[in-house]
Amino acid sequence: MIKTSKELRDALRALPQERLVRMNVAADEILECYRVLKKGDANIVSEILKGQGTFYEWDHYPEGDVYDGETHAQYYYHAHREGEHGHFHTFLRKKGMRESVAPVPYDGTAEWPTEEDEIICHLIAISMDSAGFPVALFTTNRWVTGENWYDKADVIDMLDGFIIDHCTPSWPANRWLTAMSMLFRPQIEQLIIARDLKISEWRSTNPDMDVFEDRDLEITSYLNISVEDQIRAVKEVTEGRLD
């Protein structure tokens, strides 16, 4: 897992030029979102909660989630964990996936969604602080979001499909979330790989349990992040390559 500045820069230098350029564009997009939000004395979280009334734990914000009918990407914000204001859950629905992709084989105790509009894959969650800025990325077990479970390689392939390309409920918030999935792509991929490893390890030590429904396993991988540090590293490595 990428945790130090040296590890981050080494990982960035190993990326293809095209990926690094896309991450650099995402960095600029995030900075632009922060710029316009600051002028309006707003932040990402306040954009999602505006006009939503009282903020209750567990409720989804905005009501009905945010869904892009062209890309079939989806997200919502809610709160129920200590140490954060709340977090975003990001998804891709079945219609946004490759036709050949299928969930992992499952013969456990739960009924997974079978209707096309209900089949989703959880991509990554973004933990936010009380000032409306991201502090961590994490993945979750299947029961947390009621998703269909896909292998790590398929989930990583789906990351490019997370694009919210409309203006509701907030254009800067939608652009920010889309850009975050690219800016932190190396770490997100590592978290998804660690997610599957955690599931495998948990299953081996709890062979009589349905691992995907085990309430003792909620967070499958977790990483503290800094947008400022990530952007700085991307800019430094990009400029070094261009030189």
Side-chain angles (χ1 to χ4, degrees):
M1 192 75 69
I2 298 171
K3 293 184 177 180
T4 68
S5 59
K6 182 181 184 303
E7 290 172 342
L8 174 56
R9 283 162 174 78
D10 288 344
L12 293 175
R13 292 187 186 99
L15 292 175
Q17 179 72 11
E18 182 272 340
R19 173 60 57 81
L20 193 59
V21 168
R22 291 178 65 191
M23 290 176 66
N24 191 43
V25 171
D28 291 340
E29 183 84 341
I30 286 170
L31 292 174
E32 178 67 4
C33 290
Y34 285 159
R35 183 189 70 82
V36 297
L37 287 171
K38 185 177 181 180
K39 290 181 71 173
D41 195 26
N43 60 60
I44 299 299
V45 173
S46 69
E47 284 288 284
I48 298 302
L49 299 183
K50 66 183 178 183
Q52 295 291 310
T54 304
F55 183 51
Y56 293 104
E57 283 194 348
W58 294 103
D59 284 2
H60 289 199
Y61 295 91
E63 185 178 358
D65 299 3
V66 178
Y67 174 64
D68 189 310
E70 292 185 355
T71 66
H72 307 290
Q74 179 176 337
Y75 76 83
Y76 63 82
Y77 184 80
H78 72 166
H80 61 85
R81 300 177 64 241
E82 295 290 334
E84 63 173 22
H85 178 273
H87 52 268
F88 289 96
H89 284 292
T90 64
F91 306 88
L92 192 66
R93 288 193 191 179
K94 176 65 176 175
K95 289 181 180 178
M97 305 175 192
R98 289 183 291 105
E99 289 187 6
S100 59
V101 71
V104 300
Y106 176 71
D107 59 358
T109 59
E111 291 187 7
W112 291 9
T114 56
E115 296 295 325
E116 187 175 59
D117 287 342
E118 297 178 355
I119 295 174
I120 57 173
C121 176
H122 183 260
L123 303 175
I124 197 70
I126 305 175
S127 180
M128 308 294 287
D129 66 16
S130 58
F133 292 101
V135 293
L137 302 170
F138 63 95
T139 63
T140 60
N141 199 357
R142 192 218 76 88
W143 64 266
V144 176
T145 59
E147 63 180 302
N148 288 54
W149 192 267
Y150 292 86
D151 179 75
K152 58 183 181 295
D154 290 325
V155 181
I156 289 172
D157 183 63
M158 292 179 202
L159 292 173
D160 285 334
F162 185 80
I163 301 170
I164 304 293
D165 187 33
H166 57 67
C167 65
T168 55
S170 164
W171 193 34
N174 292 347
R175 293 173 67 185
W176 179 85
L177 274 165
T178 301
M180 281 288 289
S181 68
M182 176 51 63
L183 179 65
F184 284 94
R185 181 65 175 265
Q187 289 96 330
I188 292 172
E189 290 188 6
Q190 287 191 341
L191 286 164
I192 293 169
I193 292 169
R195 177 205 74 160
D196 278 22
L197 179 60
K198 183 69 173 182
I199 289 291
S200 178
E201 291 174 345
W202 195 273
R203 181 185 283 121
S204 67
T205 57
N206 300 273
D208 297 328
M209 297 289 294
D210 180 348
V211 64
F212 295 118
E213 295 302 311
D214 192 340
R215 265 51 179 178
D216 289 331
L217 178 59
E218 177 182 359
I219 305 301
T220 48
S221 59
Y222 186 96
L223 180 68
N224 292 319
I225 62 168
S226 164
V227 168
E228 293 79 7
D229 290 347
Q230 187 82 359
I231 290 178
R232 185 180 304 112
V234 168
K235 294 292 182 183
E236 288 178 2
V237 173
T238 302
E239 291 169 3
R241 281 199 180 180
L242 291 177
D243 292 343

